[in-house]
């Protein structure tokens, strides 16, 4: 049961559309290196398409009508877009949900120290990373510093051509006999991921003169004191832009495909809906998926159901029962990247149940590990209906598992949304080198994801 390669079915017009999607996506990646930046970008795109702030509608007690478009933001890190449909909300929403946080290296709250005339930042990594991949490469610093007076200072260092970059050193090969004999998981420890920030002393400063130089720069350039780092969120991410990959330019190499490629495909799909869709369509961009969907901006928090409750109230259908019906009757694609089959690591995959690059958007009935633990395991009946929508629209799609049984595993936000009783299946773009500083996707799979999510939002109906 082989699935065809999507590239084979493209004519010149389709190839141009693939390239256009790739350009838009690379631009989204280049401006979205953190969850906050990705959220802000999504809101910009939505505003330009006529979306307005749900909070303003709530404050004004506006009567919500079919065709209305709203965005809602949770602490600047999670975003929901709603495009109100013809049917009442108790018939359920068509939802596409992705996450906009990616693995990275966060600065600690008390980060700065000096050792042997080098100033460092101590860090705590975020999400699942192979630590050895993050040394000896250019890193950029992105984030915010919240000052006591309530002002928020935005920081982006290392992305402009003229910007300096920072990074983590590695031991020279000449002296690495002991290091090279270690297990890969022990080559670099979590406390070894300290970022070099400065290497020149502040003249005539006696105590920690290089750190003093660093603090002087932070004060002069950003108006920051060392204590301000106590209320900062600074993330070290790979510096530089996403690039076309391969001599045929069929792929994209970039930081954060997981899961910004699905987030971008969702946003694009939302922007192409008819003026009044049949069912209310929702794009969910969640934070904190990489550390278990925790916290007030993770999918386990209640901002999504709160927003739906507010919408219902503004439609004159408020109340707990209507909310429960709206959520339970919803249909959702949990849009998250899939493990692309990698011939160099064939032993990790079971090939006929693996996602192949260029073979289209991938559906995972289940994820999880050790006997599907932690997975959602979508209903066969729902998958049958999804198949029909995909085939009716001529989407290139495939099914996959996350590698061989018992080799490892992973999870998504699918099981959390499924708790409401809604139909959910995982759907995403295959990725190579997932969670590495630079991941690889096929442009064809991005294009098919956009088409798939558009078809799902427009055509998926009730049970
Ligand atoms: Mn993911
Ligand atoms: Mn991930």
């Amino acid at each position: 049961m082989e699935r065809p390669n999507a590239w084979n079915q493209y004519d010149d017009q389709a190839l141009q559309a693939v390239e256009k999607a790739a350009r838009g996506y690379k631009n989204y990646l280049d401006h979205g290196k953190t969850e906050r930046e990705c959220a802000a970008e999504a809101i910009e795109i939505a505003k330009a398409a006529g979306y307005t702030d749900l909070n303003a509608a709530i404050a004004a007690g506006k009567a919500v009508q079919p065709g209305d478009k709203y965005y809602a933001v949770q602490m600047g890190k999670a975003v929901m877009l709603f495009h109100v449909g013809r049917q009442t909300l108790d018939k359920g929403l068509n939802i596409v949900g992705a996450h906009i946080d990616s693995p990275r290296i966060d600065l600690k709250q008390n980060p700065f120290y000096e050792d042997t005339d080098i100033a460092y930042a101590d860090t705590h990594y975020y999400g699942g990373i192979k630590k050895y991949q993050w040394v000896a490469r250019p890193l950029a610093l992105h984030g915010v510093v919240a000052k006591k007076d309530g002002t928020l200072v935005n920081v982006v260092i290392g992305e402009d051509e003229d910007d300096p970059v920072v990074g983590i050193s590695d031991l020279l090969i000449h002296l690495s006999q002991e290091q090279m004999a270690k297990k890969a998981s022990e080559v670099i420890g979590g406390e070894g991921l300290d970022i070099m920030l400065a290497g020149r002393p502040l003249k005539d400063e006696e105590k920690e003169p290089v750190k003093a130089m660093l603090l002087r720069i932070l004060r002069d350039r950003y108006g920051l004191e060392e204590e301000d780092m106590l209320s900062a969120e600074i993330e070290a991410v790979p510096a530089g832009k996403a690039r076309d990959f391969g001599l045929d330019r069929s792929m994209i190499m970039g930081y954060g495909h997981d899961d910004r490629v699905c987030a971008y495909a969702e946003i694009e799909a939302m922007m192409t809906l008819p003026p009044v869709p049949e069912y209310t369509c929702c794009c969910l961009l969640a934070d904190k998926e990489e550390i278990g969907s925790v916290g007030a901006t993770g999918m386990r928090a209640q901002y999504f159901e709160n927003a739906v409750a507010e919408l219902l109230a503004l439609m004159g259908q408020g109340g707990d029962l209507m909310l429960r019906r709206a959520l339970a009757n919803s249909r959702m694609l949990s849009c998250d990247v899939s493990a692309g089959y990698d011939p160099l690591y064939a032993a990790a995959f079971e090939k006929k149940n693996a996602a192949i690059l260029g073979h289209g958007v991938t559906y995972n009935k289940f994820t999880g590990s050790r006997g599907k633990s932690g997975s959602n395991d979508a209903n066969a009946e729902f998958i049958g209906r999804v198949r029909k929508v995909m085939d009716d629209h001529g989407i290139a799609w495939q099914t996959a598992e996350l590698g061989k049984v018992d080799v490892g595993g992973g999870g998504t936000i699918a099981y959390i949304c499924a708790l409401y009783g809604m139909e959910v299946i995982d759907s995403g773009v295959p990725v190579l080198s997932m969670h590495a500083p630079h991941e690889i996707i096929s442009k064809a799979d991005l294009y098919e994801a956009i088409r798939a999510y558009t078809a799902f939002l427009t055509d998926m109906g009730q049970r």
Side-chain angles (χ1 to χ4, degrees), residues 27-42:
N27 187 56
Y28 184 76
L29 270 190
D30 292 343
H31 294 93
K33 291 259 183 121
T34 67
E35 63 282 24
R36 284 177 191 266
E37 290 171 0
C38 287
E41 261 195 289

Side-chain angles (χ1 to χ4, degrees), residues 91-122:
K91 304 290 192 299
L93 296 81
N94 286 348
I95 304 164
V96 285
H99 67 92
I100 49 177
D101 61 317
S102 295
R104 60 181 192 248
I105 298 175
D106 288 342
L107 262 56
K108 288 188 183 180
Q109 297 321 113
N110 183 12
F112 303 135
Y113 71 93
E114 172 173 341
D115 193 342
T116 325
D117 295 355
I118 298 174
Y120 289 94
D122 236 310

